[in-house]
Structures are given as structure tokens and as C-alpha cells.
Amino acid sequence: MGVESSSSALTIVKSTGATGSRDWGLWANLGAVAVALASVVALQWPGQRTGGVNLLNPTAAEQQEALQLGLVARSPTLGFDNLIANWAFLRFVLYFGDEEARNQTNSYELNYQYFDLLTKRDPLFTQAYLFISTAVSFNQGKPEKAIELMDRGTSALSPQIDPQAYLLWRYKGIDQLLLLGDVPGSIYSHQKAAEWVQGTPDQDFAPLYQQTAEFLQKNPDSKPVRIWAWSDVYYNAVDKKVQQRAEAELLKLGATKRVNDNGQVIFTFPTSGNPN
């Protein structure tokens, strides 16, 4: 976006016409650019100003970050949509990577908020979508929300726009299968992945995706892999709400919950539903 801004500034300087109108246009455009740059600085300033809070009180820092994300989401972009999307992704990386703080807050509550802002501002940000499954589906236990975010990408992107756009269908298909048990949806997503990867440098993956779709058509019982997926969510969750969601899903799949002598929660399944 910075490059685009620089090009825009160059265009303004090089514009020609009557001296009066040119000067007025120059100042008006420079004013708009200045306001936009000031807005960008403002986005960074609160995080710098409250570094002590981030270190000493992760809960307060998370609450402040949520407020800041809400403010950015409601503010005019002034044409800097891509820059705001980049900012949201960088903030997500810092938030998600701060394992110590997340363990103290017992929450990855802001993951969805980051990607909601990001995908609205730049639905063509292919690489960002690849983090949604881990961040939203698994760490937050919200596969439905993750699918909604991925849908923004599959609607906006194409192989012509980005040769790696096929990955969105692949990741979407995996979440549909593992966590939602949406076999028809997963079949369609894998078929689209096979279609979109054709003609790209990764087209050797096309047979794999098509074979996955065909396998699911012949073997529509997704219960074993769903048991594995929700067990993974449960045992790796730091948020109690996520753990409760995972437990509810496992019980719906036929699990029996027990606590052993060491206080460890164990889920057991009927032999026919055990993935092992």
C-alpha cells in the first residue's frame, strides 16, 4: 500500500493544468494523504504507549486491543484498505504468538476479530486465509465462523488473481470434514480445489484433491476424523468456552467422559466409532 501511496503522490506532483486549479488539487490531495498517514500512525501509537500494560496485565491489554480493533473497523479507511489489512495481520501475529499472555488470559478471543477486519478490508489477501483454520476453527472452536471468513476469499479470488487461491478451497474442505461433518460441502470444496489448481505451478496436486472428493463420496462417514479433530481441539484449548464446545461435540459423537485418578479427562468411544 505504501508503494501505491508513493505512486499516488508522484502522480499529484506531476499533474499539469491551470496553475490555480493545479495548486488547489495538489493541496487537497496532499491533505488527504496527510490525514491517511496520520491515521496509520495513530493505529500504531496506542500499542507503543501501553507497552507496560501489555507486559504487566495481559487481560487489560487484550481488552484494549479489542476496543482498538472495533474502532479501526468502524473508522473510514481513506483508501488505505490494504494497509489496514496488513496492520491487522501483523497485530494478529503478535497476539497469537504471545503464548505467555494467551496462557494468562486463557483466551484467543480476538482471533476472529482480526480476520474479520482483515478479510473485509482485503479479501484478496490469500496467505492470511491459511491461518484461519488453526486460529479460528481449532483455537477458538468456531469452524462455522472460519468457513464464513474463507467464503469471502473464495468469492473474491480466482486462479487468475492468485495461483495459490486453490488453497482456500482445500483448507475450507478440511474444516468442513473434520469439525462440521459437512461431507457434501467438503466434497464440493475439494472438487473446486482440484479445478482451481489446474494450470498453476502446483497442478500436480489436482489428482489428490479429486481423489479426496471421490473417497468421501464412497465413504461419507466422517465420524472417526471428527472424533480426532474435536479431541485435538479439547486437549489443546486454553479457553474454557472452547473446551466446553469441544466436549459437547465429542459427547454428540457418542463419547463417554470420565476423569481418572490423576484428574485427567478421558473420552472413550464405542468400538465402531473409535478412530483407532
Side-chain angles (χ1 to χ4, degrees), residues 27-231:
W27 287 110
N29 283 286
L30 286 177
V33 171
V35 171
L37 292 176
S39 299
V40 173
V41 172
L43 295 181
Q44 297 293 344
W45 181 51
Q48 297 171 354
R49 181 181 56 184
T50 56
V53 175
N54 292 340
L55 292 174
L56 299 177
N57 193 335
T59 299
E62 187 173 62
Q63 293 171 349
Q64 183 187 54
E65 183 78 350
L67 292 173
Q68 185 175 356
L69 282 168
L71 176 62
V72 174
R74 294 189 300 272
S75 300
T77 65
L78 301 173
F80 283 78
D81 297 73
N82 289 358
L83 187 61
I84 292 172
N86 291 342
W87 173 85
F89 183 69
L90 291 175
R91 296 299 297 181
F92 159 74
V93 171
L94 292 172
Y95 173 82
F96 190 75
D98 193 347
E99 188 173 339
E100 182 178 350
R102 301 290 68 76
N103 287 334
Q104 291 184 53
T105 61
N106 293 317
S107 170
Y108 284 92
E109 189 65 32
L110 301 185
N111 286 358
Y112 173 79
Q113 203 169 340
Y114 284 116
F115 284 103
D116 183 45
L117 172 62
L118 187 159
T119 55
K120 285 179 178 177
R121 296 296 182 239
D122 185 8
L124 304 181
F125 195 159
T126 304
Q127 297 304 316
Y129 287 100
L130 308 186
F131 292 83
I132 289 175
S133 178
T134 297
V136 180
S137 289
F138 281 84
N139 282 100
Q140 287 190 281
K142 296 180 177 180
E144 300 90 350
K145 290 292 187 181
I147 296 299
E148 290 178 8
L149 294 171
M150 293 184 203
D151 283 342
R152 293 177 187 170
T154 56
S155 296
L157 284 160
S158 71
Q160 292 71 39
I161 294 174
D162 189 333
Q164 289 193 314
Y166 72 89
L167 287 169
L168 274 69
W169 287 110
R170 170 64 163 172
Y171 279 63
K172 179 181 174 181
I174 291 173
D175 279 10
Q176 287 170 313
L177 176 66
L178 295 186
L179 297 174
L180 295 177
D182 180 7
V183 176
S186 184
I187 291 171
Y188 179 77
S189 292
H190 280 91
Q191 290 172 333
K192 293 296 291 185
E195 175 187 328
W196 280 27
V197 77
Q198 291 284 3
T200 74
D202 299 328
Q203 63 181 357
D204 289 346
F205 287 115
L208 171 64
Y209 300 152
Q210 187 59 44
Q211 289 166 12
T212 301
E214 293 171 359
F215 174 83
L216 292 175
Q217 288 173 329
K218 297 175 182 177
N219 303 274
D221 181 12
S222 65
K223 187 173 181 180
V225 293
R226 291 183 68 201
I227 289 172
W228 169 83
W230 281 112
S231 296

